[in-house]
Amino acid sequence: MESTDKLTDTNAVLAYLYETFPLCFIAEGETKPLKIGLFQDLAERLADDSKVSKTQLRVALRRYTSSWRYLKGVKTGVQRIDLDGQDCGELEQEHIDHAQQTLKEGQEKAKAKRQAQAAKANPKKPAKKAPSSKAAPVKKDRPAKPKKPAAPKVNYVPAKFDELKQKQRVSVKLGQNPVAGVITDIKKEDVHVQLDSGLVVKVRAEHILLS
């Protein structure tokens, strides 16, 4: 008898996807870009599975497609794949560019964080100098390096359903940070948005933000 215990941990959901769809979700090594609209296929395939909810599937998919391993696989000449590992179309250049930019920014942030942690763990102590009868030469102050301007903060406002239309650029509330995308379809109260990563999600208007 199938267990009715729901998987609530994202890592556990990913492990379940690796086991259930091994030709699509690759646990180790190089991954392949996923089919646009794969979330809908996944939700339908697991509709009768009590282990995972749509919310947890969406979170797990977002983590999988935003990992460095996945972003490195989004490159020219590579085919997207469906749940069964079948090719289903080449990548668009704008998706490749977005993936590479996201990867570059993530690696730079991680490098800066490592350097900050290393500096905090091993602070340089000034060496003690022996007393000298001669006056030490006065050192000229080096000019301070100009600080890089902070990235402009985007002020988001909640979208109203009657203001939304197809091909409109919007941001979707998924987790802590809004994710940019384009509205592809509007059906009743549901809005279909293709994220810049290529993933298509179906959300209500209250989850959409306008900048």
Side-chain angles (χ1 to χ4, degrees), residues 115-170:
Q115 290 175 340
Q117 289 175 340
K120 187 176 180 181
N122 300 299
K124 293 182 179 180
K125 295 182 180 180
K128 291 183 179 180
K129 295 182 179 179
S132 174
S133 58
K134 294 182 179 180
V138 178
K139 291 185 178 180
K140 293 183 179 180
D141 293 333
R142 293 183 180 177
K145 292 183 179 179
K147 293 183 179 179
K148 293 183 180 179
K153 184 177 180 180
V154 180
N155 293 319
Y156 293 102
V157 294
K160 295 181 180 178
F161 184 80
D162 55 4
E163 296 176 346
L164 301 177
K165 56 188 177 181
Q166 290 188 9
K167 297 184 179 180
Q168 181 179 4
R169 290 287 297 178
V170 296

Side-chain angles (χ1 to χ4, degrees), residues 7-27:
L7 300 175
T8 56
D9 179 73
T10 304
N11 288 330
V13 176
L14 281 172
Y16 181 64
L17 294 178
Y18 294 149
E19 179 182 355
T20 309
F21 305 102
L23 298 178
C24 177
F25 296 97
I26 301 170

Side-chain angles (χ1 to χ4, degrees), residues 45-208:
R45 193 80 70 91
L46 298 177
D48 298 327
D49 195 321
S50 59
K51 280 190 173 184
V52 288
S53 67
K54 286 186 177 181
T55 299
Q56 288 299 329
L57 282 177
R58 187 176 283 112
V59 173
L61 261 183
R62 184 167 178 239
R63 179 179 291 186
Y64 183 80
T65 56
S66 61
S67 68
W68 291 3
R69 194 163 59 95
Y70 181 87
L71 294 173
K72 288 178 181 177
V74 181
K75 53 192 176 182
T76 305
V78 176
Q79 293 272 337
R80 291 184 181 276
I81 58 171
D82 60 16
L83 286 174
D84 301 312
Q86 299 297 316
D87 291 344
C88 54
E90 286 193 14
L91 292 160
E92 294 182 15
Q93 188 59 44
E94 62 178 308
H95 295 161
I96 296 172
D97 294 342
H98 178 266
Q100 297 311 309
Q101 181 63 27
T102 302
L103 175 63
K104 181 181 177 182
E105 291 174 356
Q107 290 176 331
E108 288 176 349
K109 286 181 181 179
K111 181 179 179 181
K113 185 177 181 180
R114 287 195 302 269
Q115 290 175 340
Q117 289 175 340
K120 187 176 180 181
N122 300 299
K124 293 182 179 180
K125 295 182 180 180
K128 291 183 179 180
K129 295 182 179 179
S132 174
S133 58
K134 294 182 179 180
V138 178
K139 291 185 178 180
K140 293 183 179 180
D141 293 333
R142 293 183 180 177
K145 292 183 179 179
K147 293 183 179 179
K148 293 183 180 179
K153 184 177 180 180
V154 180
N155 293 319
Y156 293 102
V157 294
K160 295 181 180 178
F161 184 80
D162 55 4
E163 296 176 346
L164 301 177
K165 56 188 177 181
Q166 290 188 9
K167 297 184 179 180
Q168 181 179 4
R169 290 287 297 178
V170 296
S171 295
V172 181
K173 288 190 291 186
L174 292 176
Q176 295 181 347
N177 299 317
V179 181
V182 177
I183 295 177
T184 57
D185 197 9
I186 300 175
K187 293 183 179 178
K188 296 183 179 180
E189 297 181 354
D190 294 325
V191 183
H192 297 251
V193 181
Q194 180 179 325
L195 305 180
D196 289 346
S197 64
L199 182 67
V200 176
V201 297
K202 181 172 70 174
V203 296
R204 296 294 181 93
E206 57 263 29
H207 295 291
I208 294 179

